[in-house]
């Protein structure tokens, strides 16, 4: 499913955070939103994920104009299509790791054996084998983020949105996260990542740098 922002502007407290930005994220590709801290990466990611409304411009989901979708419609979009890998968003701290991985996907009788097997598989993939019953609040920041990844894997979402997914991780876990995002794009997901990690930028298929003015044209005088 394609995600597109067209001429999007966002003003926060009178300050233009995004100024007429256009960007397109495609199925099967990883789009990297780069730029220094405060350049609007998280804001643009939130715009593409319909977590934040725009002041001007248009946001498209597939061929639909999603700019004015109401809460119910946006919730349906999140539930059916999106996996968020955010540090401070979307985990239910009081619940178990396992619950967070499968939330929204369990029936009234709980997990079927095949689903249980799949949970174990994704947890082992993010190096959290055997941690399914632990309370999420007890995990470290990096471990919580990997729960977010495990949930994205479990869901097999069409759209994966990740905010600084390699920040504060050691080398081994950074590689794990980067490889996961590459694999998600390879299986056909639309992947959008906000980051200032150079390795992650290199792994992307498309790159947009925020907060940078285009180089000025050389003037006639200088020539
Ligand atoms: N909820 C908010 N309230 C006030 N200012 C905000 C808020 N969200 C973002 N900003 C401001 O918008 C700018 C861009 O923020 P952000 O999108 O988080 O940038 P990045 O992710 O690139 O660091 C920053 O100057 C930040 O202070
Ligand atoms: Mg940010």
């Amino acid at each position: 499913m394609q995600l597109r922002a067209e001429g999007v502007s966002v003003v926060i407290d009178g300050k233009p955070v995004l100024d007429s930005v256009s960007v397109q994220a495609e199925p099967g590709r990883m789009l990297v939103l780069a730029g220094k801290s405060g350049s609007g990466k998280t804001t643009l990611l939130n715009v593409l994920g319909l977590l934040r409304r725009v002041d001007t411009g248009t946001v498209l989901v597939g061929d639909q104009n999603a700019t004015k979708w109401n809460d119910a419609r946006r919730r349906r979009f999140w539930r059916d299509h999106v996996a968020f890998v955010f540090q401070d968003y979307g985990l239910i701290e009081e619940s178990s790791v396992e619950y967070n991985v499968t939330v929204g996907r369990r029936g009234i009788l709980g997990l079927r054996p095949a689903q249980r097997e799949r949970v174990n598989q994704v947890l082992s993939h993010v190096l959290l084998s055997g941690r399914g019953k632990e309370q999420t609040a007890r995990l470290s920041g990096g471990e919580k983020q990997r729960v977010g990844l495990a949930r994205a894997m479990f869901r097999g979402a069409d759209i994966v949105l990740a905010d600084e997914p390699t920040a504060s991780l050691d080398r081994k876990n950074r590689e794990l996260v980067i490889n996961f995002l590459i694999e998600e794009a390879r299986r056909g997901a639309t992947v959008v990542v906000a980051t200032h990690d150079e390795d992650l930028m290199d792994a992307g298929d498309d790159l947009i740098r925020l907060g940078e003015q285009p180089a000025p044209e050389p003037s006639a005088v200088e020539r």
Side-chain angles (χ1 to χ4, degrees), residues 59-91:
V59 183
L60 295 119
V61 171
D63 55 7
Q64 296 185 62
N65 185 341
T67 318
K68 298 209 164 106
W69 278 358
N70 65 19
D71 288 352
R73 184 66 189 86
R74 289 188 303 154
R75 269 199 299 274
R76 187 145 54 88
F77 165 67
W78 297 328
R79 187 196 62 201
D80 295 342
H81 299 289
V82 188
F84 291 101
V85 182
F86 285 20
Q87 232 155 24
D88 55 356
Y89 173 84
L91 292 183

Side-chain angles (χ1 to χ4, degrees), residues 31-175:
L31 167 67
V32 175
L33 313 178
K36 57 185 186 332
S37 180
S39 60
K41 301 183 293 296
T42 297
T43 305
L44 182 56
L45 194 64
N46 287 341
V47 162
L48 290 169
L50 309 186
L51 292 167
R52 174 184 275 285
R53 293 195 186 276
V54 297
D55 292 293
T56 59
T58 308
V59 183
L60 295 119
V61 171
D63 55 7
Q64 296 185 62
N65 185 341
T67 318
K68 298 209 164 106
W69 278 358
N70 65 19
D71 288 352
R73 184 66 189 86
R74 289 188 303 154
R75 269 199 299 274
R76 187 145 54 88
F77 165 67
W78 297 328
R79 187 196 62 201
D80 295 342
H81 299 289
V82 188
F84 291 101
V85 182
F86 285 20
Q87 232 155 24
D88 55 356
Y89 173 84
L91 292 183
I92 304 163
E93 297 266 333
E94 316 81 70
S95 298
S96 68
V97 166
E98 191 174 87
Y99 181 85
N100 272 296
V101 170
T102 62
V103 68
R105 287 289 187 280
R106 51 168 66 206
I108 45 171
L109 297 176
L111 296 173
R112 293 192 311 270
Q115 287 178 307
R116 186 158 296 283
E117 181 51 37
R118 178 80 185 126
V119 172
N120 292 337
Q121 228 173 49
V122 297
L123 284 178
S124 105
H125 206 96
V126 299
L127 311 178
L128 290 172
S129 274
R131 310 280 302 270
K133 303 282 185 221
E134 280 182 42
Q135 193 189 28
T136 304
R138 293 179 184 279
L139 271 53
S140 74
E143 288 170 344
K144 283 181 196 167
Q145 198 153 24
R146 271 141 54 204
V147 175
L149 282 184
R151 181 177 51 185
M153 287 177 189
F154 185 81
R155 303 186 62 155
D158 322 346
I159 298 169
V160 177
L161 304 180
D163 194 8
E164 306 279 3
T166 56
S168 70
L169 295 182
D170 58 29
R171 188 192 167 80
K172 184 173 180 197
N173 282 308
R174 282 179 59 230
E175 279 173 10

